[in-house]
Structure formats: structure tokens, C-alpha cells
Amino acid sequence: INCIYPSDLVPFTRRPLFVVIDGDNNEAFGAINGAKKGETAAILLSPRTSFHRTNADSPHHSGSLFTAFLTAPLQAFCLLLGLTASDVEMDTYFMAEKLLSSSLNDWGLNLAALDSLHPVWAQILGDPFLRRLVLRFLFCRAVLTLHAPTFDKKEFIPKCVPSLPASLLPSTVTCQTLIMQIANIFGATDSFIFSEHFVLTENIHGDTDSMSSS
């Protein structure tokens, strides 16, 4: 009687509803999307199984990795790699943070311009706070899909309902570019699995510029 069930949220779908579910039984909440009692709900679902690093013991982290990616994506990226604050120079961290912020902003602009975008996501993206959550979700999905220990393992990959456009799937050049660039900044490209012939291009100063796939 003290639990929240998917059906409890259905009345709120008379207007666009945005829900983030982080829990072991999150799959049940995907059924809200099929309820014929209101508008389509936009739902972000955590992975069925959360990835844990035994050597990543951070006193500043609590909660699941999925929640960490939605609230502090770059910190979550470092946590996934087992990096602590003492392992990363501040200039390096700020470089990665600037790249991530700029790239996610570009993702948001491109996403909003797509004709294939579901109407409920179009409404959600109009709110700056919710847009950040959606973009961080996309980043999280790409990172966990390409991370070697969780590579393409469905139980470790978060889901969204309804589906977001295929142009930002983890397998795309857009997503792989960002993940490899950030991984390169931290010297961790070997921790990820990228498409064959996907090559990192650097300029003469050593700054990550672009990616190429042949």
C-alpha cells in the first residue's frame, strides 16, 4: 500500500508527463506509455543491472551510476573509469567538461530540429532543465554501450520510452566521436570499444579535433 505502481501515474498523463525511473523494477513503468488514457509519457529507465567498479570507492558518490550520469555526467564518467579527484588534474577536468557541455548543447540543437522527433520529446526539450536530463541520458547510454566491460550488453544499458531518433544512437559517429574525445583527454580510450577503423585525429598541439571513420 505504500508503494508507487505504474497505474498510479496514468491520471497525470492527461498532460505531457516526464518520468525518470531508477530502480530494479523500472521495466514495469514502461507500460505507462501504452496507457490509452492520456498523452504519451516521456520516460527514462535505468539499466536493469548497474555496473560497479570494486576499485572506485568515492566518498563523494552515493546512489546509482545512472543517477550520477543524470546529475553530474563527467563525474560519473570518471567514476566509471575508477578515476578519483587525485587522479585528474583540474585543467584536464575542465577541458573535458567544456567539451562535454559544448557537445551536448549541439546534440540538443540537432535533436530539436529533427522532423522524426516524437511530439512528446519536442515538448520536453522546450524546458531547459528537462532537456539537460535527456541529453545526459543520451550521453550515459552511449558511454555504457561503448564501455568495454558493458559493451552492447542490454542489461547495463538505460532505455527511453518512446524511442529517441536514431541519429544519436551510441553506434553513430556523433556519439562515438564525443566518447572517444573525452576518453582521450583522460587517457582511457582503451576502456571503450569503438567501430573498426574509427580513428582519433589530433592537431599539432595535441588537442582532440575530430574523428574519422573509413
Side-chain angles (χ1 to χ4, degrees):
I1 191 172
N2 296 319
C3 296
I4 295 178
Y5 293 89
S7 57
D8 296 331
L9 300 178
V10 171
F12 297 99
T13 64
R14 292 182 183 132
R15 299 189 66 180
L17 176 68
F18 181 82
V19 185
V20 179
I21 304 295
D22 187 355
D24 297 336
N25 196 32
N26 58 25
E27 293 282 339
F29 286 84
I32 298 173
N33 185 61
K36 303 300 183 182
K37 298 183 180 180
E39 295 194 28
T40 302
I43 309 173
L44 304 183
L45 300 173
S46 66
R48 296 197 306 271
T49 303
S50 182
F51 178 76
H52 298 282
R53 292 190 63 97
T54 56
N55 63 337
D57 185 16
S58 172
H60 303 293
H61 171 70
S62 61
S64 76
L65 188 65
F66 180 66
T67 294
F69 266 104
L70 296 186
T71 54
L74 191 57
Q75 289 182 29
F77 186 89
C78 292
L79 183 68
L80 182 69
L81 298 177
L83 298 175
T84 64
S86 60
D87 297 324
V88 182
E89 295 183 359
M90 290 303 296
D91 287 346
T92 299
Y93 189 87
F94 288 143
M95 182 191 304
E97 194 169 51
K98 182 178 179 180
L99 172 62
L100 178 59
S101 177
S102 174
S103 297
L104 292 188
N105 183 60
D106 290 340
W107 286 14
L109 294 174
N110 293 335
L111 198 60
L114 292 175
D115 293 333
S116 58
L117 186 65
H118 192 285
V120 71
W121 290 120
Q123 291 175 300
I124 294 298
L125 292 176
D127 181 283
F129 174 73
L130 299 182
R131 181 170 64 248
R132 281 196 298 272
L133 289 181
V134 173
L135 296 174
R136 289 171 178 178
F137 165 83
L138 290 170
F139 176 67
C140 173
R141 185 177 68 176
V143 170
L144 292 176
T145 299
L146 299 174
H147 188 227
T150 58
F151 180 73
D152 214 20
K153 296 178 180 177
K154 294 182 179 180
E155 66 270 25
F156 292 106
I157 312 303
K159 298 180 180 179
C160 62
V161 180
S163 298
L164 284 160
S167 60
L168 284 173
L169 286 173
S171 58
T172 62
V173 172
T174 298
C175 286
Q176 292 195 64
T177 295
L178 177 59
I179 306 308
M180 186 179 274
Q181 286 177 332
I182 294 180
N184 181 63
I185 290 175
F186 292 112
T189 54
D190 290 342
S191 296
F192 297 88
I193 299 175
F194 300 99
S195 298
E196 191 176 1
H197 307 307
F198 212 62
V199 181
L200 180 68
T201 303
E202 297 182 340
N203 64 20
I204 59 174
H205 300 293
D207 298 325
T208 301
D209 266 349
S210 60
M211 308 289 296
S212 62
S213 180
S214 57

